[in-house]
């Protein structure tokens, strides 16, 4: 079986209906007790497994409208009794019955499908009001990590809780687990700093991570001299059969270059410009799924190994669990496209970033923005799959943010798309579709 | 960074040298205290993460030979002080220093690389002697599962411990978490029965699972009516855009067929023969890696969804951790190749199987054997990758078990290979290379 | 630029609208001169390049209806002046103006697009009435080839003209150009016997080739001992780096087996059953395209190397040019799936087949039918593309011939699909989706 | 069968041995009649099919050394009788026997294989001395095309014969067959200008095409508004199901931009910079293969649709037939990566280029060089195959021209590779690996 059975696939994987309607119910003047309108963080207990859902309620007298996991709902409020129904696609329905007390809604969700003669699934839930965003001045946090994690778990206790707008200054250790002092802190495999819990972040939102500082904090990196299998045809595989040893690079921050510590005879004068980047930026994946290893990637980001995630860049990721749970790690002093050696110039890093949350904006995958370009990443089991996904993700971006029709999307992509191979060293291959912002200026929202 | 840094990649991922030598040291008559010769289960502590290694020692006076994770070692025994060195490929070395007391070796492992000027990695370990296989009569176990798991964790406490040769009779629930009585036991997603700990199984061994019984234990299955994305070209994607509802099938064990409970008009008389299979058979993956979800697959098996894993078939999997930790689940009453609907005819199952362990035999991926065929499975991010892997895995089989040269392997594959698509619904695609045993009779070991 | 510019893409590549309507105009009693109703073979001259189109006209008084390249037309007949218009998708239009004399229509076609402000394309054409199928008794032809061709050209003069229902008995030489007497007749590369012109066959029809006899006519075959690159992962590429020599097989028609003439030591007793097949069965591709080499394949068939194209099988191919122009060649005495050695057991062959034409039935790719199975082949640049195409092609089959809805198609494929890798040695990879006819008996047209 | 049978595969497809030795035989003082030392253009007649081979002979008294199709030869000259033998890999041998008269060698080639008990292949040949490169001043040719070709045929009569160093000024028509005056000259599908025969060019050499001028010569281009299937995932396929109409762009050479003639409402102010490029640059493929259509590509170049083939760029292609037979066409006023609309901004072009020949340098595929970058193109049936090929081709470049070892190649690629998707609209996908020349300065031949 593919993933999660039948009805639950829809519950957990996709909105019940694909387009959203009727969210604009206006609120009347007469205030009502209790407070129901707003965004709720809902956790349901599926036979022992906690599953998060996004819920937005708009109250108008005793009528309720809103959005449950991306699909419109209709219901009523009678005293403190609350009920609503969601009618989704393919016959899926959700009925909620609960009661509100002390700013918490408790009750049951009943998942059914009109095509399925079998019994419905009824699970208990409780929901708490998502706090309004803190209007106070953004804070800056100094965070000294003491533990580093080797999976992107949604179940991990946050290392630090921050608010949207806050800035965090911290460090990452290298992919092998060694810190800026050369001390091994943990077994290798991209151990991560974090996770950071971002207040008000809920499933269905987008996390924004703006990298304000990304600097080297030691003078060496480790890599190796192989070419990963995705880069080898049969002849090159034979030629490369005897390579694969560890290689150390000297990082000269003054001159801004990296050089091999023990170069072969033809590379004695070879150097590459330092261009520090983060291999890993991730939010926690949807919680019912087992935690991925920190070598993996997905629509939630992860080990993307994309060499445009540098100082000044902004990363956008679709949030799956309350607080988003942001992980960062795997700094590279420099990296060619695709991380062809398996290891880039792996090193520890001094990192500062600002987080932001965009409410109720759902991305189909990671996006990156630089001063000059917008970039949509596709990740998949082959470059061909990654290419399709990158194209579809950018099409979503142009459609949703620039209001382009399918025909207009095609015309812009056909004339302005730039594709780059971001990653070939991991289980997922990555391709990034970039568009120069100059091309989009005439399309910008607000421009007439 | 790809996975695990530099030196540890080699430690954890591959033998230090690829061919094994010098295992045949003969033992002298004079017995020595303590007992050192034999197989050891070694656990090292890498900065808080436990990593299992296989170790085999042969003592000849004060000289030690043997195998450490597939590579030959040389060392000595002085009183209870034990030491050995492994010289691997690409300059990798391992030095072990320890002492043996009470049938336990404790000490340190030092991992270094002659090409790497950086500091070596030193980690503590302890090792215990793997018990000799129990010569007593194989037992049969009745196991009634009370918990079901949604990841293939290597860290989970075994549900039952058995010996090689033992037979286990148990049940599995369906992929959606529903048991034979229609009771939902756990959230869906291929929840598994197990894990079963198999005595004497060590990393580097092969687990053999012979399915002696695989029977339906309820009269219905659930599926759906979509085609997964790997099966859709652009035109078919448009045609299939409105399907995807749950579908129930009636299972008639008497007549041996499944029929749709609410068929469309053209399928009123359509039926498919029942052919019960297990979608999931897995051993725990290597422990330093995060536990994969039960929708995933790998060289360790998992959610293979291969419709030849039926009653009578034998599954072979490469063992990664002591005890192997066998998981089973995801029964299908019937399934076309590839599990094209995402869900096959998902149902609960009555299962009986016998386990066996082949010592020091390392497979590169799952194998299946029926009465008539040998089958090597390739799993990968694309069908093309899976195809390459299936071919390479069968080449390994023909080379190691039938001693064929590369030229002979090519000649046999070119004339006798049969390829089948096993799975397209999951993250990994699967292709199986089958060879009819009749073709191999003239090659059988021992035949002249 | 991809292929053929703008408007002409639609003209040459696809029907102007995708569904056909209005073909059922009934004919009145009053006969009219000249004869217009019927199927016409139309050739237009595009600036020196001849392009074939299918045309069907139904006359009702002075009104004309019909089909032009799959799209409905409307027009009129005034004396011998004929005119019609086709309104296609995306604004494409075709206007025809001509005159009928001596059973030939001559005139111009004007291709335009309402979205394109540029000038329309006007080209001259002439059309002749396709003869009615000959009602006489089918004939059997003995054809002794004297020339063999190394491309699938649409421009080649037919070697023999036959009628639907006729049977041809002939021979093919081996892929290297050597005949049944060991005489080299032509440079290797799958030289073909044919082409055979089949009367009444027009673009948009389907050619049916039923192989009534496929027998060996010499006692040896040639192959080699490599594995093609699609079958090699990096490790196997290294192991296989020194193989690739020619290998001869002895074909023992009496015992029905092939054995190596100079086997390696482990294959001294290895044999494979003879199972003669044709590697190439092709119709000429659409004529404006350059003629593909006889190592290539496409929706028009070609070098499919599918080991179910054996005696008793029926091959269905979509016709592109008048007469279909059937080519056959590349006999294999036996072949494993995928033709993994690049060469199968290449040999000359004694072949007999019967041809048939199904009017106005357009297949999206090759189909094969045996006594027990229907099979749809997908060909593409990767196995993943081939898989998608095979699935879509079988979906077309089930929809058009068995009237299944998309939901029903999914249910049948999910439970009855069997996928086989047909070819990995050529530029196109091939995957075949097979369904056992027993599964389809309850769906057969006419069954209630 | 894959391509060309057994022995001939090796003859036609690859050098008999892969590394070349023994070419440095020094010439003695005593002159000998006739002149044998030099490069010869050899044509053999394989049963009616002409096949070109490269041959280089060095005479030293009565001893001959040299290179036959990349493999070393040894032989003798007795009077005017000439003979030599080539011993290749896998047992392949070639024996040449001939006589030299009037600067022509005539005789037979005997191809055999020591593993093949079958009869050898003996074919007649004749060879003529390749003229020395003309030392005179390079010429400039004005070429006004009167015919345009829709395949890359090796059999076509040259339109113009030029010498290495010469410059040709000419025009190309657009992919649809329309010229700078809006006159349709030929059916669409990338009709080509040429072919140009370049004196002294022989199989095994490299053709260099330096684009000195590439300018628009009309004010409009035609494109369309679809996204090709390689760019569509299932959801985007559904969204894009109704697009695909022709679209005209206005080309404003003064302002240097293209704008839509009838833009949708959101693209009213959208413009793209003009960046004229050639979609097609090709040499004739190996002559025994059928001529590919001008929509296809291969190691010989062709319809590469790479948007860095602009004014100032240099294209390198491996030569297959005497004279190279250069074709150019398919100008684009601008194109995003991959030619995502199937058609870029298709237009006619004013082109000037200089040709050069590098003797006895064999490339594994197309290369492009700009003022700042070297670029190796991979073409294949999938992006994954194209990626492997691009990487292997650049590895060849770094190894042969910069003498890097496999380890050094890996280190340079890992730190300096930039990958771009060049083409997704055609049968072959394309990926280009670029390296900035600054990275290579320290490696340049001659630099110490």
């Amino acid at each position: 079986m593919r993933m999660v059975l039948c009805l639950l696939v829809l519950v957990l994987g996709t909105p019940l209906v694909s387009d959203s309607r009727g969210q604009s119910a206006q609120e009347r003047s007469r205030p009502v007790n209790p407070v129901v309108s707003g965004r709720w963080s809902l956790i349901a207990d599926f036979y022992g497994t906690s599953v998060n859902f996004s819920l937005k309620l708009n109250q108008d007298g005793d009528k309720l409208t809103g959005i449950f996991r991306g699909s419109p709902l209709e219901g009523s409020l009678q005293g403190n009794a609350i009920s609503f129904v969601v009618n989704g696609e393919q016959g899926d329905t959700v009925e909620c019955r609960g009661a509100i007390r002390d700013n918490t809604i408790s009750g049951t969700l009943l998942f059914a499908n009109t095509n399925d003669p079998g019994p419905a699934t009824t699970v208990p839930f409780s929901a708490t009001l998502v706090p309004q965003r803190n209007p106070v001045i953004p804070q800056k946090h100094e965070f000294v990590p003491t533990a580093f994690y080797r999976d992107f778990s949604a179940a991990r206790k946050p290392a630090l809780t921050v608010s949207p707008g806050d800035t965090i200054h911290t460090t990452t250790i290298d992919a092998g687990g060694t810190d800026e002092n050369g001390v091994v802190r943990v077994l290798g495999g991209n151990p991560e700093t974090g996770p950071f819990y971002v207040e008000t972040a809920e499933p269905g939102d987008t996390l924004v991570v703006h990298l304000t500082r990304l600097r080297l904090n030691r003078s060496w990196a480790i890599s190796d001299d192989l070419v990963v299998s995705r880069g080898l045809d049969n002849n090159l595989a034979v030629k490369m059969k005897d390579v694969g040893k560890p290689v150390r690079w000297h990082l000269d921050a003054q001159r801004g270059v990296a050089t091999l510590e023990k170069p072969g005879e033809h590379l004695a004068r070879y150097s590459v410009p330092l261009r520090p980047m983060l291999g890993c930026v991730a939010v926690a994946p949807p919680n019912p799924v087992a935690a991925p290893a920190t070598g993996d990637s997905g629509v939630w980001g992860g080990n993307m190994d994309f060499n445009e995630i540098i100082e000044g860049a902004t990363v956008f990721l679709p949030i799956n669990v309350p607080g988003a749970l942001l992980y960062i790690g795997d700094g590279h002093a420099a990296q060619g496209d695709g991380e062809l050696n398996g290891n880039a110039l792996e090193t520890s890093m001094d990192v500062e970033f600002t987080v932001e949350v965009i409410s109720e904006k759902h991305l189909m995958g990671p996006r990156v923005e630089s001063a000059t370009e917008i970039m949509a990443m596709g990740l998949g089991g082959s470059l061909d799959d990654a290419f399709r996904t990158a194209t579809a993700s950018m099409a979503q971006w142009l459609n949703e943010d620039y209001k382009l029709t399918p025909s207009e999307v095609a015309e812009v992509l056909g004339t302005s798309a730039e594709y780059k191979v971001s990653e070939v060293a991991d289980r997922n291959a990555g391709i990034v579709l970039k568009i120069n912002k100059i091309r989009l200026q005439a399309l910008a929202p607000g421009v007439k």
Side-chain angles (χ1 to χ4, degrees), chain A residues 385-398:
Chain A
D385 282 348
F387 183 86
R388 275 185 279 274
T389 304
T391 307
S393 180
M394 182 58 86
Q396 182 201 41
W397 198 340
L398 295 175

Side-chain angles (χ1 to χ4, degrees), chain A residues 49-69:
Chain A
T49 302
S50 293
V51 182
N52 295 104
F53 292 89
S54 62
L55 173 65
K56 186 177 184 180
L57 293 176
N58 300 305
Q59 183 193 352
D60 179 7
D62 57 0
K63 284 188 59 182
L64 289 178
T65 55
I67 308 284
F68 178 79
R69 196 176 173 78

Side-chain angles (χ1 to χ4, degrees), chain A residues 344-396:
Chain A
L345 273 56
E346 309 288 340
T347 193
S348 59
M349 209 71 79
D350 176 8
V351 189
E352 188 186 89
F353 58 92
T354 302
V355 294
E356 194 47 80
V357 175
I358 307 175
S359 286
E360 293 172 68
K361 182 177 188 65
H362 180 71
L363 308 184
M364 63 174 280
R367 295 180 184 174
V368 180
E369 193 168 339
S370 72
T372 54
E373 285 165 325
I374 67 171
M375 302 176 244
M377 180 180 294
L379 295 163
S382 67
L383 287 169
D384 292 87
D385 282 348
F387 183 86
R388 275 185 279 274
T389 304
T391 307
S393 180
M394 182 58 86
Q396 182 201 41

Side-chain angles (χ1 to χ4, degrees), chain A residues 96-382:
Chain A
C96 172
R97 299 185 184 284
I100 182 164
R101 276 189 198 85
D102 300 336
N103 294 321
T104 299
I105 310 174
S106 302
T108 57
L109 293 171
L110 181 147
F111 295 88
N113 184 286
T114 55
N115 295 301
D116 185 358
T121 297
T122 302
V123 298
F125 77 90
S126 77
T128 54
L129 206 54
V130 177
Q132 292 289 316
R133 180 167 166 180
N134 193 341
V136 299
I137 297 160
Q139 292 182 43
K140 185 166 172 187
H141 306 265
E142 284 291 330
F143 178 71
V144 180
T146 55
F148 304 91
Y149 300 103
R150 301 177 66 258
D151 63 23
F152 295 117
S153 175
R156 184 160 288 120
K157 193 163 167 293
L160 180 71
T161 295
V162 300
S163 292
D166 285 2
T167 296
I168 297 101
H169 180 233
T170 188
T171 56
T172 57
I173 58 177
D174 76 17
T178 302
D179 69 14
E180 60 270 31
N181 301 311
V183 177
V184 181
R185 303 290 291 273
V186 65
L187 179 62
N190 302 339
E192 304 286 312
T193 295
F196 303 102
Y197 185 102
V198 183
E199 293 280 10
T200 79
E202 284 291 311
D205 296 347
T206 290
L207 184 69
V208 183
V209 182
H210 182 55
L211 291 168
T212 51
R213 179 180 172 87
L214 194 51
R215 303 288 168 89
L216 301 180
N217 58 8
R218 76 183 194 208
S219 63
W220 59 277
I222 194 146
S223 188
D224 41 28
D225 70 348
L226 54 80
V227 170
V228 295
S229 63
R230 278 189 213 270
L232 299 176
D233 71 357
N234 296 157
N235 290 327
L236 192 54
V238 173
K239 285 177 190 153
M240 288 281 177
K241 72 188 167 57
D242 295 323
V243 299
K245 66 176 185 299
V247 170
R248 275 173 68 105
W249 292 76
H250 174 64
L251 310 179
D252 185 335
Q254 293 302 106
R255 293 174 52 225
V257 296
T259 49
L260 286 155
E261 290 197 354
K262 293 181 179 177
E265 64 168 316
H266 307 96
L267 299 189
R269 299 172 59 235
Y270 180 72
S271 67
V272 294
L274 295 172
R275 197 161 184 263
M277 55 163 279
L278 279 183
C280 294
V281 180
V283 292
N287 58 2
V289 177
T294 43
D296 208 352
S297 62
V299 294
W300 38 269
N303 186 26
M304 298 179 281
D305 290 323
F306 177 36
N307 58 17
E308 296 288 345
I309 299 184
I310 59 174
E311 184 174 303
T314 304
V315 180
F316 302 81
L317 296 170
I319 295 170
N320 304 289
V321 298
L325 292 185
L326 172 66
Y327 292 86
I328 61 170
D330 189 26
H332 299 164
Q335 184 203 292
D337 285 356
E339 201 187 25
L340 216 55
N341 300 139
N343 288 304
L345 273 56
E346 309 288 340
T347 193
S348 59
M349 209 71 79
D350 176 8
V351 189
E352 188 186 89
F353 58 92
T354 302
V355 294
E356 194 47 80
V357 175
I358 307 175
S359 286
E360 293 172 68
K361 182 177 188 65
H362 180 71
L363 308 184
M364 63 174 280
R367 295 180 184 174
V368 180
E369 193 168 339
S370 72
T372 54
E373 285 165 325
I374 67 171
M375 302 176 244
M377 180 180 294
L379 295 163
S382 67

Side-chain angles (χ1 to χ4, degrees), chain A residues 387-441:
Chain A
F387 183 86
R388 275 185 279 274
T389 304
T391 307
S393 180
M394 182 58 86
Q396 182 201 41
W397 198 340
L398 295 175
N399 171 249
E400 294 187 357
D401 288 20
Y402 295 88
K403 310 303 174 201
L404 301 195
T405 64
S407 171
E408 292 169 338
V409 166
E411 288 162 349
V412 169
L413 291 181
T415 49
S416 293
E418 295 176 62
Y419 287 97
K420 190 181 171 106
V421 174
S422 51
E423 173 62 293
V424 295
D426 300 326
R427 184 170 176 189
N428 274 339
I431 283 189
V432 170
L433 196 174
K434 308 195 297 182
I435 297 183
N436 195 304
K437 288 182 178 180
I438 291 176
R439 300 292 177 95
L440 301 175
Q441 280 176 348

